[in-house]
Amino acid sequence: MRRLFFIFVTVIGVLQILMQSINAQNMKKEEVPQNLSAFPVGKENAGFEQYFTGKSWLAPLTGNKDLNVPMFNVTFEPGCRNNWHSHTGGQILIAVGGVGYYQERGKAARRLLSGDVVEIAPDVEHWHGAAPDSWFSHLAIECNPQTNKNTWLERVDDEQYAEATKDNRGGGLSDTDPELDAIWGHFAKEVQEYGDLNTKTRLMVTLASNIASQARTEYRMMLESALNAGITPIEIKEILYQAVAYVGMAKVMDFIGITNEVLLARGVRLPLEGQSVVSSETRFDKGLGLQKSIFGERIDQMHKSAPENQKHIQRYLSANCFGDYQTRNGLDVKMRELLTFSILVSLGGCESQVKGHIQGNVNAGNDKDTLLAVVTHLLPYIGYPRTLNAIACLNEVIPEK
């Protein structure tokens, strides 16, 4: 106990010194949030990167060997965590920025916020790292340094990490609002029992809906599940590209960033192979041809009947919305129409476009049962008003027999 007390007194002293000199600290990594904590980020953790999934940075905070209390600031990018490991002399962690997790072998993970302290007993196997959607920084204090040795073990795989951090939705619902977490989780599983959607389709339409709803936390968790289920990086990217035409780049950009972080952490090289099949000379004709193959000759009539000061919008629809985006490889027309339908019903207020793409889905091979199953699956994510509006559109375009 006396030794532990000495360690904490030393920590407090170092904290005071660092706070006084914060203006002199240089956070060199522009990608690390400047307000994550009051401590320096240090250098990229190259010496230990084989023991981390994702990128981390290491900054030594103490140098006086007479004190015999080695202390470091460790910074994790979103989704980064270290391997399972243990310390023969134990360790103390103090969370100082962002949201993180700590887990001991065989126990539930613990969510960490700034100010939380973790006391790790000697030889206890554990891991720690950032939440899926948050940077994280903690102080790591080595106990009994004269005899303390690390034993690095296997990686924390994606399934283990997803299970450990599943309470990250809504700021840790299982801890703060367990009843809501139970209700939502049960209903999200209940709607999956309706219809005949396969796992791949369910995950893809949910990703598209999350983008439209700006649901970043849910998207990151669903993205991990999608990749684990075999959905390819190219298919994921094409969902994002498809969404740009319907929700705008401003709403898609953050999701591209989330996706890139997850892919890079999994060792995927970026950029991916290009999927465009048009040029500046052919984009209009190919886009118009695709439009007409889905919606018929009425597309020609839309171009002809548009007022002169609005014909440019019809040209944009053909050349950009369909030519630049929908003609791309990576997803077939049937799936692209299903994704478009999912985006539009999730946006709300797009009933006219929803009706048009219901007919487009039918023409592409998606029947009413499939569209109703998609809407039902999305209900927990988008709520009842948008779901009922979508079903009303569905019944208007494809009346019940």
Side-chain angles (χ1 to χ4, degrees), residues 230-346:
I231 296 175
T232 68
I234 284 178
E235 289 173 322
I236 298 294
K237 284 283 189 173
E238 289 306 310
I239 295 172
L240 291 161
Y241 290 16
Q242 177 89 3
V244 172
Y246 295 96
V247 306
M249 178 60 87
K251 289 187 175 181
V252 176
M253 197 65 191
D254 285 349
F255 294 88
I256 294 174
I258 292 170
T259 302
N260 290 343
E261 288 174 5
V262 171
L263 292 179
L264 289 170
R266 286 172 173 252
V268 177
R269 293 177 63 87
L270 298 177
L272 301 176
E273 182 181 355
Q275 301 298 311
S276 179
V277 298
V278 302
S279 65
S280 58
E281 293 79 19
T282 63
R283 59 197 284 266
F284 176 83
D285 289 336
K286 288 190 174 183
L288 179 62
L290 178 58
Q291 268 186 298
K292 292 167 69 172
S293 73
I294 299 172
F295 299 101
E297 297 301 319
R298 70 188 184 94
I299 298 299
D300 285 333
Q301 185 58 40
M302 290 171 62
H303 277 271
K304 291 178 181 178
S305 61
E308 282 300 318
N309 66 345
Q310 297 167 35
K311 286 185 180 296
H312 64 291
I313 300 298
Q314 295 302 320
R315 291 195 300 272
Y316 295 161
L317 280 167
S318 296
N320 178 245
C321 182
F322 283 85
D324 290 337
Y325 295 109
Q326 310 245 69
T327 62
R328 294 172 59 83
N329 290 326
L331 296 173
D332 61 23
V333 173
K334 187 175 180 180
M335 177 54 72
R336 287 187 182 276
E337 275 301 300
L338 207 58
L339 294 173
T340 299
F341 173 74
S342 303
I343 290 168
L344 293 173
V345 300
S346 300

Side-chain angles (χ1 to χ4, degrees), residues 12-183:
I12 291 171
V14 173
L15 289 176
Q16 290 174 337
I17 293 171
L18 285 168
M19 289 301 294
Q20 291 170 357
S21 62
I22 183 60
N23 291 332
Q25 303 295 351
N26 179 21
M27 298 182 74
K28 297 180 180 180
K29 294 292 180 179
E30 294 180 357
E31 62 267 45
V32 179
Q34 293 296 308
N35 60 350
L36 182 62
S37 78
F39 297 94
V41 174
K43 297 180 180 180
E44 193 166 323
N45 201 1
F48 293 89
E49 66 180 353
Q50 69 269 36
Y51 304 123
F52 284 71
T53 298
K55 289 185 177 181
S56 64
W57 290 261
L58 186 68
L61 300 181
T62 55
N64 189 335
K65 294 182 180 180
D66 293 334
L67 293 176
N68 206 24
V69 185
M71 183 167 64
F72 302 85
N73 181 40
V74 187
T75 301
F76 303 79
E77 69 176 351
C80 176
R81 64 275 189 186
N82 50 30
N83 289 13
W84 290 100
H85 64 284
S86 64
H87 313 271
T88 58
Q91 187 182 43
I92 295 173
L93 305 178
I94 303 176
V96 293
V99 181
Y101 283 86
Y102 167 80
Q103 184 177 27
E104 294 182 3
R105 185 87 72 176
K107 296 183 179 181
R110 175 183 170 187
R111 192 165 181 264
L112 300 178
L113 300 176
S114 184
D116 287 339
V117 177
V118 181
E119 297 181 59
I120 307 168
D123 299 318
V124 170
E125 294 182 1
H126 65 281
W127 67 267
H128 34 102
D133 63 342
S134 175
W135 287 83
F136 179 57
S137 182
H138 69 53
L139 305 185
I141 304 166
E142 186 179 348
C143 303
N144 304 300
Q146 67 277 9
T147 60
N148 204 340
K149 294 183 180 180
N150 283 16
T151 300
W152 290 103
L153 304 168
E154 78 276 14
R155 286 183 178 273
V156 177
D157 63 36
D158 294 329
E159 185 175 351
Q160 290 174 321
Y161 179 72
E163 177 64 23
T165 61
K166 65 182 180 181
D167 72 337
N168 195 54
R169 178 190 292 115
L173 283 181
S174 64
D175 291 330
T176 62
D177 300 89
E179 291 182 328
L180 176 58
D181 185 60
I183 292 170

